[in-house]
Amino acid sequence: MTDEKKADLAGPGIGDYDELEKILPQDYSSLLNPKETQLATYAVKDYIEENLCKELNLIRVTVPLIVDVESGVNDMLDRDGSRTPIQFHVSNDRDKNPVDAQVVQAATKWKRMALKQFDMQIGEGLLTDMRAIRKDYFLDHDHSAYVDQWDWELAISAEQRNLNLLREVVRKIWKVLKGAETHVQEIFPQLKTDKYPDMPDELTFIHAEEILERFPDLPRKQREMAILQEYPAVFIIGIGWALEDGYPHEMRAADYDDWVTETTSEAGQPMHGLNGDILVWNPVTKRRHELTSMGIRINAETLVQQLKLSGQINMLEYPYHQAIVNNEIPLSIGGGIGQSRTFMLILKKAHIGEVSATIWPKKLKDICRAKNIHVIE
């Protein structure tokens, strides 16, 4: 069981396409045709962007697709080195003024730097329409190499670095996602169906340690599947800190979310972490479905703690990390909401390729075709 838990710390959890073929629904029929799907997708997108800005006091800003390697601003996604960015050399001026660049994997660190660049005060923030490439995923029903996210960041005070603020922001985000579902069903009433229940009105907050206590013998993804049978929408708090069994609920990079700060559960139990994920039960795929990772960001103290724990103290040399240590950029809370994942859930689709144009192997496209799943090509 130990080896299984260790292997479960990152990645989608589906081993191969034979397994995926069994997982995808047998009796699937999309509630929207391809043209309607495009119209519905942008109805959801426009609603969410407008209302995230209203609820969290954000403005929309531009975001980079590529960043300078030396900046240290790219997102490594985890801390075991298993997910590396695409890197290339820009020779520029016959290699007299070259730049080594990386395609972003997420805009997590860039956004926090951008708070200063755009002079955001406490209580103000930004929203991006982020695009990224993550080449190390296994391409299945809800993971692709192409990533689109609503990456957002909000400047906060030192006094706001607590679970109360985290919960407040999560509730606002859930309100927007639920509102988007209601909005698109008014345009396309066929999306309201007893076959696939709607998202619940409220989500449940639960700490990763509490889920482990409930299901001590299960690896992480199976624990998530089990808790979602009881609560169809949850926010799992405290992802990154090693739990009672010696493993974190999931690996988290050491230099964006704060997963070391000591907290207390609602039952009074000592816990760690000011971050978490929104997960829901997907009634179409009948599996766990992650919508967003988010959290209160590290400060100077917790950055050093987390880099030491992950054996990455050398990263303090990067400009981004120096800016945090020297308190040169705002304290913040932020996250990334998967756009295609959200469209897939709200439009009740079986595959992320139905709402996102990207590359898929022939094997996967053949499986989808046989199951009446229209993957955009």
Side-chain angles (χ1 to χ4, degrees):
M1 186 63 68
T2 298
D3 289 341
E4 188 177 359
K5 282 189 174 183
K6 187 174 182 180
D8 195 42
L9 295 180
I14 294 177
D16 55 42
Y17 287 115
D18 289 338
E19 183 181 356
L20 181 61
E21 188 169 12
K22 297 173 185 175
I23 288 169
L24 289 172
Q26 303 296 325
D27 58 346
Y28 178 71
S29 178
S30 176
L31 301 175
L32 301 174
N33 65 37
K35 182 179 180 180
E36 291 170 331
T37 298
Q38 291 299 302
L39 294 169
T41 294
Y42 279 89
V44 171
K45 180 178 172 66
D46 292 344
Y47 180 96
I48 288 176
E49 291 180 4
E50 179 180 351
N51 285 278
L52 279 177
C53 288
K54 287 180 180 177
E55 289 291 332
L56 299 179
N57 195 29
L58 311 176
I59 66 167
R60 300 182 208 190
V61 303
T62 187
V63 61
L65 176 62
I66 54 177
V67 294
D68 190 328
V69 172
E70 294 182 358
S71 70
V73 81
N74 205 355
D75 194 326
M76 297 296 109
L77 300 178
D78 52 41
R79 58 183 190 270
D80 67 355
S82 64
R83 300 175 184 174
T84 57
I86 295 171
Q87 186 164 322
F88 60 95
H89 180 74
V90 182
S91 58
N92 187 41
D93 194 20
R94 296 174 294 279
D95 237 9
K96 293 177 183 177
N97 296 284
V99 179
D100 287 313
Q102 290 177 344
V103 179
V104 298
Q105 296 195 117
T108 309
K109 299 171 192 172
W110 179 88
K111 292 178 299 176
R112 188 166 174 188
M113 301 285 280
L115 289 175
K116 179 179 180 181
Q117 182 177 180
F118 298 123
D119 192 30
M120 297 296 182
Q121 304 301 305
I122 291 173
E124 298 177 341
L126 54 87
L127 176 68
T128 74
D129 192 0
M130 194 277 299
R131 299 289 184 270
I133 303 295
R134 298 180 184 175
K135 63 179 177 55
D136 295 316
Y137 279 148
F138 173 71
L139 308 182
D140 62 9
H141 69 292
D142 66 354
H143 289 80
S144 74
Y146 167 79
V147 178
D148 50 0
Q149 288 187 171
W150 291 292
D151 260 333
W152 61 274
E153 202 78 12
L154 178 67
I156 64 173
S157 67
E159 292 72 27
Q160 289 178 298
R161 298 187 75 258
N162 57 58
L163 288 179
N164 288 335
L165 176 70
L166 180 65
R167 293 189 183 99
E168 177 186 340
V169 171
V170 170
R171 289 189 181 101
K172 288 180 178 180
I173 290 172
W174 186 253
K175 175 185 174 183
V176 172
L177 298 181
K178 181 63 182 175
E181 180 186 61
T182 302
H183 172 68
V184 77
Q185 286 183 2
E186 291 172 353
I187 304 171
F188 296 98
Q190 62 267 44
L191 290 170
K192 186 82 172 175
T193 171
D194 292 337
K195 184 176 182 181
Y196 304 129
D198 292 342
M199 298 155 59
D201 292 333
E202 305 289 337
L203 50 69
T204 299
F205 291 88
I206 188 167
H207 199 283
E209 197 77 71
E210 295 172 307
I211 301 176
L212 177 63
E213 289 175 2
R214 294 275 303 276
F215 310 104
D217 297 326
L218 296 180
R220 187 257 305 183
K221 296 180 195 72
Q222 292 182 33
R223 293 200 299 269
E224 292 174 349
M225 292 276 280
I227 200 67
L228 287 169
Q229 303 305 303
E230 187 172 344
Y231 307 109
V234 297
F235 184 78
I236 301 175
I237 301 171
I239 299 179
W241 180 263
L243 305 177
E244 186 66 27
D245 64 351
Y247 297 104
H249 185 78
E250 186 180 20
M251 299 289 280
R252 279 292 189 271
D255 53 1
Y256 58 93
D257 284 351
D258 182 331
W259 40 261
V260 297
T261 290
E262 294 184 13
T263 64
T264 304
S265 73
E266 292 184 347
Q269 184 177 350
M271 300 287 182
H272 289 83
L274 294 172
N275 68 336
D277 291 351
I278 293 179
L279 269 75
V280 300
W281 180 254
N282 187 321
V284 181
T285 63
K286 295 181 172 58
R287 290 183 64 81
R288 60 183 286 282
H289 193 88
E290 182 181 328
L291 293 178
T292 176
S293 292
M294 58 171 289
I296 291 173
R297 307 307 194 189
I298 44 163
N299 58 16
E301 178 184 354
T302 57
L303 170 62
V304 174
Q305 283 182 260
Q306 293 184 181
L307 289 177
K308 285 181 177 177
L309 285 170
S310 60
Q312 296 177 311
I313 199 69
N314 61 299
M315 295 181 76
L316 285 176
E317 301 171 2
Y318 288 124
Y320 165 78
H321 302 76
Q322 281 294 304
I324 294 173
V325 170
N326 296 323
N327 299 308
E328 295 171 351
I329 56 177
L331 298 173
S332 65
I333 182 174
I337 305 169
Q339 293 188 22
S340 291
R341 288 270 189 89
T342 301
F343 302 148
M344 179 183 168
L345 179 73
I346 291 178
L347 304 185
K348 298 174 179 175
K349 299 289 191 177
H351 196 284
I352 201 168
E354 295 179 83
V355 296
S356 176
T358 182
I359 58 167
W360 302 103
K362 182 178 183 300
K363 174 73 172 177
L364 180 55
K365 289 189 284 187
D366 289 345
I367 292 171
C368 289
R369 193 174 296 112
K371 289 179 174 286
N372 198 33
I373 298 171
H374 178 85
V375 171
I376 302 170
E377 297 189 54

